[in-house]
Amino acid sequence: MSEQSLETPLFPLYLFKDDFESVYEPSEDTFVLMDAIEKDLMIIKEMDPLICVEVGCGSGAVITSVAKCLDPNKRLYFGTDFNGKALLTTQKCGIVNGIDGCIQLVGTDLTQAIEERLKHSVDLLIFNAPYGPTDPQEVGISDISSAWAGGLNGRQVIDRFLRTVPKLLSHNGFCYLIVIKENNINEIKNIMKSLGFEMTVVLERKTYLEIIIALRFKRLPVIV
């Protein structure tokens, strides 16, 4: 494996087949997120992140691949999810892929439980958001549907997350977010600009049903 690539974690079917009845299985959007991070690996390594957080860690595929690539023992890794079964699956993913105990798992809605502890100190913030336009009442149900149910315009969870980024991200940190075209990318850009961040489209991939987009946010330069 190249130093500038992410290793896709192993999910042996005989170990994980029951997990994916209640936990979001690695899918096309998962791999778009991993590919976007891989594309930026050089600048991420130059930034030299100390604290890395994945919101909604689900299967653990992304945070596990990031930890293995960046060195699981030299940085702090956190995975949050309000689906307790997802936290267990992420833990199992770490064990199977040789980084047992390297990811601190936190049961919480988005980042609520860690916002004060990690205020302005997260260098790499990652979220494969529930972006699917759905009935607003479908959002936040504690089962596998929470992985994709995004409410009105697919933005209910995304907009809540965007407001947490300034609280968590360090001065030089990067935030990666997965969205789809229907989420109104220009509006997201304007929201983040008003919060002091610039947005970059890192990767865009058309699938059978949708166009999946990986966004990167970083703080705008401070003009003295």
Side-chain angles (χ1 to χ4, degrees), residues 8 11 27 35 47 57 61 83 91 95 116 118 125 128 139 147 158 161-162 166 172 193 201 222:
T8 301
F11 288 94
S27 302
D35 288 347
M47 185 256 291
C57 52
N83 180 350
Q91 181 182 48
I95 293 170
E116 288 304 315
L118 299 180
L125 183 60
N128 183 1
V139 176
I158 288 173
F161 171 74
L162 295 178
N172 294 313
K193 185 176 181 180
V201 174
V222 176

Side-chain angles (χ1 to χ4, degrees), residues 4-158:
Q4 301 303 327
S5 62
L6 293 184
E7 179 182 348
T8 301
L10 300 173
F11 288 94
L13 183 60
Y14 73 97
L15 286 177
F16 288 91
K17 64 179 180 179
D18 293 334
D19 295 70
F20 295 136
E21 293 178 4
S22 54
V23 176
Y24 189 64
E25 187 172 356
S27 302
E28 188 66 32
D29 49 2
T30 312
F31 299 115
V32 170
L33 178 53
M34 290 173 62
D35 288 347
I37 294 170
E38 181 177 86
K39 185 176 179 180
D40 276 359
L41 264 184
M42 185 174 295
I43 61 172
I44 290 172
K45 289 183 175 182
E46 287 175 357
M47 185 256 291
D48 195 21
L50 174 61
I51 299 178
C52 307
V53 174
E54 182 180 13
V55 179
C57 52
S59 68
V62 178
I63 193 66
T64 296
S65 66
V66 168
K68 290 194 73 174
C69 179
L70 296 181
D71 193 325
N73 299 310
K74 291 185 178 180
R75 310 174 200 278
L76 297 176
Y77 300 92
F78 293 85
T80 78
D81 210 300
F82 71 15
N83 180 350
K85 293 179 181 178
L87 297 176
L88 292 174
T89 302
T90 295
Q91 181 182 48
K92 186 190 295 187
C93 179
I95 293 170
V96 170
N97 289 278
I99 58 167
D100 183 20
C102 293
I103 302 169
Q104 297 186 48
L105 301 171
V106 183
T108 186
D109 178 23
L110 296 181
T111 61
Q112 285 183 3
I114 61 173
E115 283 179 14
E116 288 304 315
R117 179 184 177 189
L118 299 180
K119 189 174 182 179
H120 297 161
S121 62
V122 177
D123 301 306
L124 190 59
L125 183 60
I126 303 164
F127 190 24
N128 183 1
Y131 51 67
T134 63
D135 187 309
Q137 294 182 347
E138 295 181 41
V139 176
I141 298 175
S142 188
D143 61 20
I144 194 170
S145 68
S146 65
W148 63 75
L152 186 64
N153 299 321
R155 286 279 298 278
Q156 282 182 233
V157 180
I158 288 173

Side-chain angles (χ1 to χ4, degrees), residues 160-213:
R160 287 181 55 224
F161 171 74
L162 295 178
R163 300 295 174 183
T164 71
V165 176
K167 301 176 186 177
L168 285 167
L169 210 63
S170 65
H171 178 70
N172 294 313
F174 296 145
C175 172
Y176 290 85
L177 175 68
I178 291 294
V179 297
I180 58 173
K181 189 175 181 180
E182 289 77 5
N183 298 146
N184 194 334
I185 310 305
N186 285 332
E187 192 170 275
I188 291 173
K189 180 179 181 179
N190 290 334
I191 289 172
M192 292 309 287
K193 185 176 181 180
S194 74
L195 295 173
F197 289 81
E198 63 181 7
M199 185 188 87
T200 302
V201 174
V202 180
L203 198 61
E204 190 172 309
R205 184 170 298 159
K206 186 175 182 179
T207 69
Y208 177 69
L209 295 174
E210 57 202 3
I211 297 176
I212 302 172
I213 303 166

